[in-house]
Amino acid sequence: MALFSSRTGKRPRLVPALDDAELARVLGRLSKRNGGGRAADVTLVSSLLEETGNDWDRRGHRVSVLAEATADAGIAAAWLGREPQSADALVFHSWTGLVRGLRDGHLEDAGELVSRCHQAAERRPEDPLPWVVLLGVSRIERYGQSDVNAVWREATGRDRWHREAYLQMLAYLSPEEGGSSAAVLDFVDVVRTRIPANAACAAVELTAAVRQYQGLLAQGGVRAMTAGQLWEGGQLAAALDQAAALWAKPGFFQHAAAQADLNVLAYALCAAGRAVDAHHVFQTLQGVVTPWPWNTDGPALQRFEQHQAKAERGRQGGVGGG
């Protein structure tokens, strides 16, 4: 991953590829085509994933972003039809099915998707991604905790700190998807002390906290009015302090979705009334915006820009602001 720049002045923009130039190139070429599933499209996607090799972190980033971008384009089906024994084609087809399932609230054929994942795992046993997709399937199908724990062990046994595995488990445990706040807290408590500070999944604790904070805001009334207290004192305040001190340092994070995690950090600092501390994070991001967490109460770009401006005013005035 390229070292982050401290230059300022770039306007906020949604960048699905984040700082992955090769992924951005492929997305750009796909966006210029009108025919879904054409051989050239398949070649673009398959070549990029082949080049990624066994970098499981970047492979997960590229597969997830490409699946989101092409979920309805027919590329995954065309590729699997061309190479039915390809582990890459099986994983990509499975992930696009998961994207549609999470979007629509149900899977077209859960049994077939699970079968594709197992086929991919058989053809490339060292790859965590088939198991990560199965964690996502568990969210929709609400599989039992013991079954999900078994899938979790398979995924993290292949890549212990795989970012997407942690995020899928976090979502499965969340009250919004049939879990509970207690289950989320238990999970975070268990993994918090084990995760290296610069691991790809290091943002899982802040991600859970931001979701909890947004849930309180959504409830309105007293809970919304006191939501900011979530960030005051205790372990979460300490975690936010550590993240503010380390994450935006050049080269500290090396994982593919580092800029997505910096968006979470900037949001959390602003939510905690620490706009001054968020200023350096905004500088580091150089206007690279992810839809979540900014889009929960308005257009992501607008909300990002508003908070960025507040952080700049706070730095100039030497005061914070929520």
Side-chain angles (χ1 to χ4, degrees), residues 81-125:
R82 192 172 83 178
E83 300 181 62
Q85 302 304 313
S86 164
D88 281 353
L90 286 162
V91 163
F92 189 64
H93 190 275
S94 299
W95 207 305
T96 56
L98 176 60
V99 167
R100 291 193 298 271
L102 290 171
R103 180 192 66 196
D104 300 338
H106 64 88
L107 294 168
E108 297 170 7
D109 189 333
E112 181 186 25
L113 202 160
V114 169
S115 176
R116 301 283 191 211
C117 289
H118 285 295
Q119 291 175 51
E122 291 172 3
R123 284 161 178 75
R124 198 171 186 180

Side-chain angles (χ1 to χ4, degrees), residues 16-18 20 23 57-66 256-257:
L18 303 178
D20 190 326
L23 175 58
D57 170 67
R58 192 158 296 276
R59 177 173 164 82
H61 173 58
R62 287 176 169 177
V63 170
S64 63
V65 171
L66 286 166

